[in-house]
Amino acid sequence: MTNDLKAQIGLINNRLSELSYGENPNELYEPIRYIMSLGGKRLRPVLVLLAYRLFKDDPESILDQALAVEVFHNFTLMHDDIMDEAPLRRGKPTVHEKWNSSTAILSGDVMLVKAYDLLLDAPTDLKAIITAFNACAAGVCEGQQFDMNFETLNTVSEADYIHMIKLKTAVLLGFSLKLGAMLAGADEQACEKLYDFGVHIGIGFQLKDDLLDVYADQEKFGKQVGGDIIANKKTFLLLKALELSNDEQKSELENWISATEFNSDEKVREVTRVYDEMGIRQLTLDKMNEYFNKGFEALNDIPVEEGKKRPLISFAEYLIDRDK
Amino acid sequence: MTNDLKAQIGLINNRLSELSYGENPNELYEPIRYIMSLGGKRLRPVLVLLAYRLFKDDPESILDQALAVEVFHNFTLMHDDIMDEAPLRRGKPTVHEKWNSSTAILSGDVMLVKAYDLLLDAPTDLKAIITAFNACAAGVCEGQQFDMNFETLNTVSEADYIHMIKLKTAVLLGFSLKLGAMLAGADEQACEKLYDFGVHIGIGFQLKDDLLDVYADQEKFGKQVGGDIIANKKTFLLLKALELSNDEQKSELENWISATEFNSDEKVREVTRVYDEMGIRQLTLDKMNEYFNKGFEALNDIPVEEGKKRPLISFAEYLIDRDK
């Protein structure tokens, strides 16, 4: 990570530590302070700042708007964790586990309101900014619903899967970049190109997540390699394998998916062997790189001197090259 | 109900029937159409129109903003019903019963986003409108949290109870009126007076609800008289009775509250008898009228010719005089 990037994250975390969400009743606001304190890469607000800096030099003037995106993101995590019945978030108990579901619903609701609050001092056209934010927010909800729908389906097409991860993950990265550009008063074309850059990088980013689950170096990964395989999660790798398998491979995969008692290590090893046999790793890498390339093409189209784009490119490369 | 009032409700329901929230995935948007179709008095958007008409004559130009308040209100119902584990809403299955909790959480979230969408075409200062809406929305969440907190307490003071119903119910009525005035470009003092009118009427309205539960005419009421007594709901009547009771009355009330097996009719009859003995009905009526009077004083202070205020006064009287 470059020093410049560390400085941007520092700006975000400093302002975040000063934010007050509300006090009374404490049961409503304490879970917000809790989830916001769990850390994370602050990826999205950093994207707001980096996009803004393509056009203007005072990112400290838009920190609240950048944080709107981080508060929104954490609202979605708080509600998604209820729906997914997730016990842990960043190694700590989730809000619905530490308190209860009602508190997680209601604190999440007020977080969404606070996200709008943080947008209000935007120096430029507030209506355009909230219109774009609303489209993004509705998209993220649609993505989560598609993801839940997919759990009950036997198979999902590649196009449907890409559409789901675009909505669930990528549109918020696209919006973050677009917001930075809008706040800087950039023209509409530049805003849209930055949005496209973010959406494509975001899809690539999620495909990388799917890939790392199977092919990460366990020493560096931090989580259990193969967790998605054990949980039968419909990742790009599994969907692609189901789509392209011959009868024997398909029945092997389906046996592992339907097995109720199994040795986890063996399941991971055997499903990975089928993936290897079919070249799923390379297929996923190709698809991922296709999206990363589309992303960089969109960035390339923005008429800003190349030197200015360097921090954004570095950050994207940092995300692309991560091994955890 | 006056013909004028029916006409306003007609305007609201017509525009409501034209609204499109989204299509895909259907699992996300169908529950929104469902809850919005369950009906209700459309009280809040009508208040927006009536306040607007104190200053301007074209309420049809602000129907979307009026509907923002109705969509927001139904969002809170959808989420409150999950928290309260309510099986029915207006005699029909609640969203989390008809679908599931995850769907009710996520459809509710997207409804909140749609409420903001409906505000966006406001003809006046959008920032001021969203600032006021956010304060109201956060207040409603705070009220719901206080209400949930109260369930676990043995007793609640009158002041805390009034504060809770103000947040949970009354600030949205106040905001609806203020929004109408803001959309008409009324000055700040008029906006605040209308807000005060709504908040005071709203508190009186909730006290009337508490009163009707015990003292409604069963023929006209529509629900079971005494439902709050059976459920040990901490209404103004119960809190006041617990506060003012002598030792004997207190132990009678507490015995009924702690009883796990009882005859419902007997419980309602006996608790009502204690209320009667203590004059709780009149105390509640006095408190309710105190708030209604404060409300009408605030309305009185608005420098608009009295004839113009007539529809708003009629509507408030209609709410005050209801017997169900």
Side-chain angles (χ1 to χ4, degrees):
Chain A
M1 198 186 286
T2 63
N3 284 334
D4 178 68
L5 200 52
K6 286 182 192 154
Q8 304 303 302
I9 297 174
L11 278 176
I12 292 293
N13 280 328
N14 277 343
R15 181 71 191 117
L16 202 52
S17 69
E18 295 166 0
L19 268 196
S20 157
Y21 307 96
E23 291 300 328
N24 207 5
N26 190 55
E27 292 82 356
L28 186 64
Y29 291 109
E30 185 59 28
I32 304 179
R33 288 187 285 273
Y34 172 75
I35 197 170
M36 294 303 293
S37 76
L38 295 182
K41 291 183 290 285
R42 310 304 184 198
L43 164 60
R44 292 156 192 83
V46 166
L47 287 175
V48 181
L49 301 190
L50 293 179
Y52 181 85
R53 285 171 59 208
L54 289 177
F55 310 98
K56 287 202 164 182
D57 294 327
D58 57 340
E60 50 292 325
S61 73
I62 57 144
L63 290 174
D64 279 357
Q65 290 78 56
L67 285 178
V69 180
E70 185 68 9
V71 171
F72 173 77
H73 175 58
N74 279 272
F75 142 72
T76 66
L77 298 180
M78 199 187 279
H79 277 190
D80 285 0
D81 283 343
I82 310 171
M83 299 179 225
D84 301 341
E85 298 178 14
L88 295 175
R89 164 70 56 193
R90 297 186 175 121
K92 296 279 172 63
T94 46
V95 167
H96 65 99
E97 282 287 327
K98 193 173 159 78
W99 286 272
N100 55 61
S101 289
S102 294
T103 289
I105 292 171
L106 205 53
S107 287
D109 289 347
V110 91
M111 282 182 90
L112 179 51
V113 173
K114 296 293 163 185
Y116 283 97
D117 254 346
L118 287 164
L119 287 173
L120 287 178
D121 281 326
T124 47
D125 184 4
L126 185 63
K127 182 177 169 181
I129 285 173
I130 296 185
T131 301
F133 180 71
N134 286 353
C136 165
V140 172
C141 293
E142 291 170 4
Q144 169 69 3
Q145 184 68 49
F146 278 123
D147 198 14
M148 293 194 297
N149 289 353
F150 288 176
E151 283 173 28
T152 64
L153 300 178
N154 283 325
T155 188
V156 173
S157 72
E158 178 182 322
D160 286 348
Y161 182 73
I162 298 283
H163 184 59
M164 183 276 283
I165 62 176
K166 174 181 169 178
L167 290 170
K168 185 166 170 167
T169 303
V171 295
L172 184 55
L173 304 188
F175 171 74
S176 298
L177 289 157
K178 180 176 174 172
L179 175 62
M182 291 175 93
L183 290 167
D187 65 40
E188 204 181 315
Q189 210 211 343
C191 293
E192 290 311 317
K193 287 286 177 190
L194 274 162
Y195 181 80
D196 289 345
F197 170 60
V199 167
H200 288 126
I201 295 286
I203 294 171
F205 182 77
Q206 183 59 49
L207 293 173
K208 174 105 190 188
D209 244 28
D210 288 2
L211 193 70
L212 282 173
D213 179 75
V214 182
Y215 292 107
D217 180 342
Q218 182 67 75
E219 301 277 300
K220 298 177 183 166
F221 191 46
K223 311 184 269 196
Q224 180 180 14
V225 170
D228 289 349
I229 291 176
I230 295 167
N232 294 330
K233 199 163 163 235
K234 288 195 184 68
T235 65
F236 184 82
L237 287 77
L238 177 58
L239 297 174
K240 215 60 204 166
L242 286 169
E243 180 193 330
L244 300 175
S245 52
N246 60 31
D247 289 351
E248 190 192 339
Q249 291 160 334
K250 190 165 209 153
S251 100
E252 269 194 277
L253 290 170
E254 285 175 347
N255 283 341
W256 282 112
I257 289 169
S258 58
T260 50
E261 286 188 29
F262 53 83
N263 175 292
S264 292
D265 287 346
E266 190 191 355
K267 179 172 177 181
V268 172
R269 194 171 57 241
E270 288 302 309
V271 171
T272 304
R273 187 185 50 70
V274 178
Y275 288 173
D276 287 344
E277 217 176 272
M278 300 178 63
I280 295 296
R281 181 181 196 166
Q282 192 58 46
L283 270 173
T284 309
L285 274 169
D286 291 347
K287 185 56 73 176
M288 184 186 93
N289 286 323
E290 181 188 322
Y291 280 99
F292 285 145
N293 289 338
K294 276 190 201 166
F296 283 113
E297 276 168 33
L299 185 63
N300 209 33
D301 286 347
I302 300 171
V304 165
E305 54 169 306
E306 290 309 304
K308 288 256 182 199
K309 294 177 186 171
R310 200 58 240 164
L312 204 45
I313 294 170
S314 296
F315 190 42
E317 285 172 346
Y318 160 74
L319 295 173
I320 292 168
D321 294 337
R322 75 206 155 91
D323 43 26
K324 61 177 183 179
Chain B
M1 197 185 288
T2 63
N3 285 334
D4 177 67
L5 200 52
K6 285 180 194 158
Q8 304 304 302
I9 297 173
L11 278 178
I12 293 293
N13 280 328
N14 276 343
R15 181 71 190 117
L16 201 51
S17 69
E18 295 167 358
L19 269 196
S20 157
Y21 307 96
E23 291 300 328
N24 206 5
N26 190 54
E27 292 81 356
L28 186 65
Y29 292 111
E30 185 61 27
I32 303 179
R33 288 187 285 272
Y34 173 75
I35 196 170
M36 295 303 294
S37 76
L38 294 181
K41 291 182 290 285
R42 311 302 184 198
L43 164 60
R44 294 155 192 83
V46 167
L47 287 175
V48 180
L49 300 190
L50 293 179
Y52 182 86
R53 285 171 58 208
L54 290 177
F55 311 97
K56 289 201 163 181
D57 295 327
D58 56 341
E60 50 293 326
S61 73
I62 58 144
L63 290 174
D64 279 357
Q65 291 78 57
L67 285 178
V69 180
E70 185 69 8
V71 171
F72 173 77
H73 174 58
N74 280 273
F75 142 73
T76 67
L77 299 180
M78 199 188 280
H79 277 190
D80 285 1
D81 283 343
I82 310 171
M83 299 180 226
D84 301 342
E85 299 177 15
L88 295 176
R89 162 72 54 193
R90 297 187 176 120
K92 295 279 171 64
T94 45
V95 168
H96 65 98
E97 283 286 330
K98 193 173 159 76
W99 286 272
N100 54 61
S101 289
S102 294
T103 289
I105 292 171
L106 205 53
S107 287
D109 290 346
V110 91
M111 282 182 89
L112 179 50
V113 173
K114 296 293 162 185
Y116 283 96
D117 255 346
L118 287 164
L119 287 174
L120 288 178
D121 281 326
T124 47
D125 185 3
L126 185 63
K127 183 177 170 180
I129 286 172
I130 296 185
T131 301
F133 180 71
N134 286 353
C136 165
V140 173
C141 292
E142 291 170 6
Q144 169 69 3
Q145 184 68 50
F146 278 123
D147 198 15
M148 292 195 296
N149 290 353
F150 289 177
E151 282 174 28
T152 64
L153 300 177
N154 282 324
T155 187
V156 173
S157 73
E158 177 182 323
D160 285 347
Y161 182 74
I162 297 283
H163 184 58
M164 183 276 285
I165 62 177
K166 175 180 167 178
L167 289 170
K168 185 167 168 165
T169 302
V171 295
L172 184 55
L173 304 188
F175 171 74
S176 299
L177 289 157
K178 180 176 173 172
L179 175 63
M182 291 175 93
L183 290 167
D187 65 40
E188 204 180 316
Q189 211 209 344
C191 292
E192 290 311 316
K193 288 285 177 191
L194 274 162
Y195 181 80
D196 290 346
F197 170 61
V199 167
H200 288 126
I201 296 285
I203 294 171
F205 182 78
Q206 183 58 51
L207 292 172
K208 173 106 190 188
D209 243 29
D210 288 3
L211 193 70
L212 281 172
D213 178 76
V214 182
Y215 293 107
D217 180 340
Q218 183 66 76
E219 301 276 300
K220 298 177 184 168
F221 191 45
K223 309 183 272 196
Q224 180 180 15
V225 170
D228 290 348
I229 291 177
I230 295 166
N232 293 330
K233 198 161 167 239
K234 289 194 183 69
T235 66
F236 184 83
L237 288 78
L238 178 57
L239 297 174
K240 215 61 205 167
L242 286 169
E243 180 194 329
L244 300 175
S245 52
N246 60 29
D247 288 351
E248 191 190 338
Q249 291 160 333
K250 188 167 210 148
S251 99
E252 269 195 277
L253 290 170
E254 285 175 347
N255 283 340
W256 281 112
I257 288 169
S258 58
T260 50
E261 286 188 28
F262 53 83
N263 175 293
S264 292
D265 287 346
E266 190 190 357
K267 180 173 178 181
V268 171
R269 193 171 59 240
E270 288 302 310
V271 171
T272 304
R273 187 186 50 68
V274 179
Y275 288 173
D276 286 344
E277 217 177 272
M278 299 178 65
I280 294 295
R281 181 181 196 164
Q282 192 58 48
L283 270 173
T284 309
L285 274 169
D286 291 347
K287 184 58 71 177
M288 184 187 91
N289 286 323
E290 182 189 321
Y291 280 99
F292 285 144
N293 290 337
K294 277 190 202 167
F296 283 113
E297 277 168 33
L299 186 63
N300 210 34
D301 286 348
I302 300 172
V304 165
E305 55 168 304
E306 290 308 303
K308 288 256 181 201
K309 295 178 186 171
R310 201 56 241 164
L312 204 44
I313 293 170
S314 296
F315 190 42
E317 286 172 347
Y318 160 74
L319 294 174
I320 292 168
D321 295 335
R322 75 206 154 92
D323 43 25
K324 61 177 182 174

